Amino acid sequence: MPLNARRLALAALILLGLSAQAAQAAPEGFYRQPAIQGGRLIIVAEGDLWTVGLSGGTAQRLTTHPGFETLPTVSRDGQWLAFVGQYEGNSGSTVNGSGDVYVMPFAGGLPRRLTWEGTGIKVWGFSTQGEVIYTGPTVSGQPGSQLFAVDPKTALRRTLPVAQASDGALSDDGRTLYFTRMGLRNDNARQYRGGALARLWVMDLNSSAEARPLVAEGANDRRPMPYTAANGEARIAFLSDRDGTVNVWSVNAAGQDLRQHSRSKGWDIRHASVDGSKLTYAVGADIHLLDLASNADSLVPIALSGDFDAQRERFIKRPQDYLVDTAFAPNGERVLLSSRGHLATAGTGLLRRAELPQPPDGRCRKGEFSADSSAVFALCDFAGEVEIWRFAANGTGKPEAITRGATALRLDLSASPDGRYLAHTDKEGHLFLTDLKAPSQAAATRLIDHNQVSGGYEGLAWSPNSQALAFVRSTTSRDRGQLQLFTVADGKTATLTTDRYDSAAPAFTPDGRWLYFLSNRHFAVTGPGAPWGDRNMGPYFDRRTRIYALALQPGQRFPFAAREELTPPEPEVKKDAKAIPPAIATVGLAQRLFEVPQPAGNYSALRSDGKRLWFLETELGGAERKVNLMSLPIDNLGGKPELLSADVQQFELSADGKKLMLKRGLINPTNLAAAEILLLDAAPKLPTELPRHQVKWSDWQVATDPRSEWRQIFADAWRMHRDYFYDKAMHGVDWPGVRRKYEPLLARVTDRAELGELLGMMSSELGALH
């Protein structure tokens, strides 16, 4: 062979080898909702439609729009492709059918819109007459769905005369309608056997006879797919969970001769499509091809090509829209922002914003500053469970784990004023105390209370000397919040209020002499005088809350008590910043109760700086609930609460009570300034120049890695099911085993909708609704 020929042959071999390597390296996707027609499959991946041959290979993309295209089906002549699309801005969940019916040439072309419902749309197939069969909202507007047939050429729609139909298909001659009555539409529950059990029905459209069941009730039978068997017999394939897993079954036109065609175990088939005697179905993240004549079942090996845009690292340009929590530094200089699982500290003026470092697949829920404002303690899931981590408030260094061994979600935390202790709670009703100066981490955390009644805690508040912790929880089956006081020295907890009334929002005064709180003890009926009428919702109790105080030492005069002629003048007390607050006298504390002489209201979030009481008041009435920040002087002059600001979401005082953090306004996508965080002097009136008090955060952007974020979401969903499911035995399901089953499919997820489907499969193992 001449030299040039050998070189050309070698080059061809190299190119062939590179092509083979490229083909092997082509990634697998998460394949959903397959349709079959002739020798082609159409699948959903990355929110787009793709086509591939029955033997598999690298799929070709058919749609590219940023919105989702789902539930494809091909006309029987192979000319048209119908699907649910989001071309006109119908964004939202693809699981619930957000979008409308579109049709486009299978060979390529502009999609054309056929429906305008916008939600609740699912496409099921074409009739032999060329109509698109789909379900949409009912014509009457009642809950449920309705079957329709729409002509893609004229867009004329006819309503198929059956109610409660969740899917359907027409026979080849168009005379017989097979449909699924009822069935779960949006829930994920394996082996459901409730009142909405899916059942196959049949109706002769050319007869006056009513629809009738096609197969006997007993299992979830859905997705009828008429086909002609090899011997010419008309049969109906369908999906059923009658053997414990959703598989493919079939019956003849009379509903007899039941046959099982697929044998999946433990992995439910979630969608299927038929053409002749060939059927394709989706199970897990894969597509299978099934021969209904021989029951030969094969996996279709599919690879995707493209730029995988949904997986690119990107910036969340408006993390303000996802702000879930803020905390105020004790020194009054900075706030902690928690948004989209990320933390940042920010201030006013020239103070720079500092993002706190964290791994890309981690999430932080909320945090608190340390007593000296130099560090942040936050609830993060960096090590597999939600633990407390410590960050430098300026964003330098690496986070440090403070707690270990969590068996449930840690929910709340509060740092003591002296910097030594952290109080924190978890979903199982445990209240822990962590000593940050303990000689070993193993001995640092101890359980100080367990709420076995309701499992919840509210209002963690430290005394100024860090020797007592006030909190609210119920102690009886009445499940009303009661004020509790834990003293560090003896490790005992005292109940300070009765279970006859709800109490909330404990707040110590900085001098350690008073503990103020809120309690619902005013019950004046509001509403109509008669309990009848066509639109009468009945009476209710408005403005139930009053403000109360407990004297932490005996013999004190209540600051709000009116002066009398026998009242001796109060001695002048020199303020000493280093003065140690007096010890709390727990004996008889619950009896040293005083009521602040103010009218009842809808109060919440009580705080005190020693000179004033600060609280939120909600105005009820109309369509909106206006929340105002009020302050009340602590004196005996009979003053009324003063309005500081309306439309308040949250507020907090600095450790010395001199600074105020105010978060107010509603987040408006068109106006960043509408959601503002202000750092102000704690005064009864707002300053005139507010812009210089605004925290700089409108330009904040958060970088995210979608694949890492999906891993975190999966783990978070698994944990939340574990901790919030009503049955601690998890219906007998091996929940760690369920995670091991589904977690490997994360590597194949290519967009958020696929992750949603994976989470649906995982949660379905519990067999619970909603």
Side-chain angles (χ1 to χ4, degrees), residues 128-144:
T128 52
Q129 292 75 31
E131 297 170 300
V132 180
I133 308 298
Y134 75 95
T135 49
T138 60
V139 176
S140 64
Q142 295 178 339

Side-chain angles (χ1 to χ4, degrees), residues 511-528:
D511 60 7
R513 297 183 181 275
W514 294 93
L515 176 59
Y516 288 90
F517 66 98
L518 304 175
S519 190
N520 294 339
R521 305 190 183 197
H522 177 75
F523 300 98
V525 175
T526 300

Side-chain angles (χ1 to χ4, degrees), residues 156-426:
L156 292 177
R157 185 184 76 172
R158 61 188 176 106
T159 302
L160 298 176
V162 290
Q164 301 177 334
S166 54
D167 61 36
L170 289 170
S171 60
D172 287 348
D173 59 11
R175 297 183 52 173
T176 306
L177 173 65
Y178 301 96
F179 65 98
T180 301
R181 184 181 179 189
M182 304 297 288
L184 298 180
R185 291 179 172 87
N186 301 320
D187 287 294
N188 291 281
R190 296 193 67 200
Q191 287 295 292
Y192 170 76
R193 291 297 183 269
L197 192 73
R199 191 177 182 187
L200 288 183
W201 283 53
V202 59
M203 182 177 189
D204 186 345
L205 297 179
N206 287 358
S207 168
S208 60
E210 293 186 353
R212 59 178 177 80
L214 178 64
V215 295
E217 182 177 343
N220 283 289
D221 301 322
R222 60 182 178 86
R223 185 62 170 121
M225 295 169 282
Y227 74 100
T228 302
N231 61 359
E233 179 187 25
R235 297 188 65 83
I236 299 91
F238 60 96
L239 301 181
S240 176
D241 62 359
R242 59 188 56 232
D243 73 336
T245 301
V246 177
N247 272 296
V248 179
W249 298 70
S250 74
V251 291
N252 60 23
Q256 305 296 320
D257 189 22
L258 179 68
R259 301 177 189 175
Q260 183 173 3
H261 297 278
S262 69
R263 303 282 176 176
S264 178
K265 294 295 182 183
W267 291 86
D268 285 343
I269 293 175
R270 295 181 68 84
H271 193 82
S273 172
V274 71
D275 179 36
S277 62
K278 293 181 180 179
L279 182 144
T280 180
Y281 66 83
V283 62
D286 291 313
I287 303 298
H288 283 243
L289 187 64
L290 176 66
D291 189 320
L292 294 173
S294 65
N295 291 341
D297 193 324
S298 60
L299 173 71
V300 181
I302 303 173
L304 298 180
S305 61
D307 58 1
F308 297 95
D309 181 67
Q311 302 178 49
R312 287 192 305 107
E313 184 176 3
R314 63 193 64 218
F315 279 93
I316 305 301
K317 295 183 179 180
R318 283 187 49 80
Q320 296 84 2
D321 293 346
Y322 305 96
L323 185 69
V324 295
D325 190 65
T326 56
F328 195 25
N331 63 9
E333 294 182 357
R334 286 181 177 271
V335 294
L336 176 68
L337 308 171
S338 175
S339 176
R340 189 78 179 217
H342 293 254
L343 301 174
T345 60
T348 60
L350 299 178
L351 284 177
R352 71 176 181 88
R353 183 175 56 250
E355 291 194 31
L356 306 189
Q358 65 181 72
D361 58 353
R363 173 190 175 190
C364 295
R365 281 170 164 75
K366 66 174 301 181
E368 293 283 341
F369 281 91
S370 61
D372 62 3
S373 303
S374 66
V376 167
F377 298 101
L379 301 173
C380 308
D381 60 4
F382 302 161
E385 293 288 349
V386 176
E387 302 281 6
I388 299 177
W389 292 71
R390 176 163 44 199
F391 302 78
N394 60 8
T396 61
K398 295 181 179 180
E400 171 193 5
I402 299 298
T403 62
R404 288 187 173 88
T407 58
L409 288 172
R410 300 193 191 273
L411 297 178
D412 199 7
L413 74 165
S414 179
S416 65
D418 66 357
R420 178 166 182 175
Y421 299 109
L422 277 176
H424 48 99
T425 66
D426 73 4

Side-chain angles (χ1 to χ4, degrees), residues 17 46 66 75 85 87 106 123 141 255 406 435 441 443 446 476 499 641 659 681 685 734 740:
E46 284 197 285
S75 61
Y87 287 95
F106 184 77
V123 171
D435 187 346
Q441 191 177 57
R446 60 189 171 107
T476 69
D499 68 343
K659 293 290 184 180
D681 290 332
K685 299 296 181 182
D734 176 10
R740 292 190 296 270

Side-chain angles (χ1 to χ4, degrees), residues 2 195 206 232 263 371 384 398 465 502 520 599 625 630 750:
N206 287 358
R263 303 282 176 176
K398 295 181 179 180
N465 62 5
D502 262 316
N520 294 339
R625 293 186 172 213
M630 314 294 293
T750 63

Side-chain angles (χ1 to χ4, degrees), residues 35 63 231 354 475 490 543 550 599 639:
T63 61
N231 61 359
T475 63
D490 58 12
R543 301 184 177 277
L550 289 166

